[in-house]
Amino acid sequence: MAARMQASPTGRQILAERPRITDAAVAHCWDLPPTTFGGAYAQFMGVRGFKADDRPAVRLVDDEELAYVITRAREIHDFWHVLFGCHTNVFGELALKALEFVQTGLPMAGMAVAGAQFRLSSEDRQLLWQIYMPWAVQTGLRCADLMCIYYEKHIEEDLEELRGRWRIMPAPQPPQHLAMKARPMTIPAP
């Protein structure tokens, strides 16, 4: 991942500047319309009670640049949930982890899919492999290099326009019985 980032002008800029996704850095997202990337992110985080600062620090990595790359991958994970429309239930996480594995090659992403799929019923596991894994592979190979996007510079832009620019195909909607287990992606109108 670090080598790919070094090969990309935007990736090099990210590595040089080392931005962090913190609560302070994304605080203005809560003031943006829900059709923007930042507004959709704020809704996603708010509905779930997530905070950007909740991501654990990277440990056991001595190389400073590699530690930053892994930190960056962790911190932008929730941006990926928004961009790809994946829920935070087991099913949505598995689909996103499969896409992450295609994009990053991180062994832990692949291992998460291999192990956690058994938390699903056999019918849901079949659905995962027939519908969502092919989506993850196709989308992961087709979309822009997710590690070389300076997300912070696009917070105020229209979410759908960014999906088009970055060749992102949102995940198929989960079946009703799984959708009911997932928290909604948007905040209902009062």
Side-chain angles (χ1 to χ4, degrees):
M1 287 188 309
R4 284 196 343 257
M5 291 178 78
Q6 285 289 357
S8 158
T10 304
R12 282 193 302 276
Q13 181 182 10
I14 293 166
L15 290 174
E17 295 176 9
R18 295 194 179 182
R20 298 291 309 275
I21 310 300
T22 63
D23 289 339
V26 296
H28 67 289
C29 290
W30 275 257
D31 299 327
L32 297 172
T35 56
T36 64
F37 177 40
Y41 170 78
Q43 284 188 336
F44 173 85
M45 298 294 278
V47 165
R48 289 161 178 78
F50 292 171
K51 293 181 178 239
D53 289 347
D54 288 346
R55 293 276 175 203
V58 171
R59 297 184 313 219
L60 307 174
V61 179
D62 294 331
D63 182 276
E64 188 178 318
E65 184 171 273
L66 182 56
Y68 173 75
V69 170
I70 294 169
T71 296
R72 177 83 176 165
R74 285 183 179 178
E75 290 179 352
I76 61 179
H77 178 85
D78 290 325
F79 286 154
W80 296 351
H81 272 285
V82 172
L83 288 165
F84 293 99
C86 290
H87 288 283
T88 54
N89 60 5
V90 173
F91 204 84
E93 288 290 350
L94 285 173
L96 191 59
K97 281 292 180 189
L99 187 143
E100 180 180 335
F101 180 69
V102 170
Q103 272 273 317
T104 67
L106 283 173
M108 288 306 295
M111 291 169 52
V113 174
Q117 68 174 313
F118 295 105
R119 292 184 59 196
L120 300 172
S121 69
S122 60
E123 294 82 15
D124 290 343
R125 204 167 36 255
Q126 182 177 13
L127 182 68
L128 180 74
W129 286 100
Q130 289 179 348
I131 304 293
Y132 291 85
M133 291 300 115
W135 164 83
V137 171
Q138 178 185 13
T139 302
L141 293 173
R142 165 182 196 260
C143 69
D145 188 335
L146 298 173
M147 292 300 297
C148 294
I149 296 173
Y150 209 136
Y151 299 95
E152 299 89 327
K153 295 182 182 280
H154 302 282
I155 293 292
E156 296 181 12
E157 294 181 46
D158 182 81
L159 177 60
E160 291 305 320
E161 288 178 16
L162 291 176
R163 284 175 172 159
R165 185 180 320 148
W166 296 332
R167 301 178 308 280
I168 288 174
M169 181 175 35
Q173 288 299 307
Q176 189 63 29
H177 72 282
L178 289 172
M180 291 172 35
K181 295 178 187 175
R183 296 181 194 158
M185 289 293 290
T186 58
I187 298 172

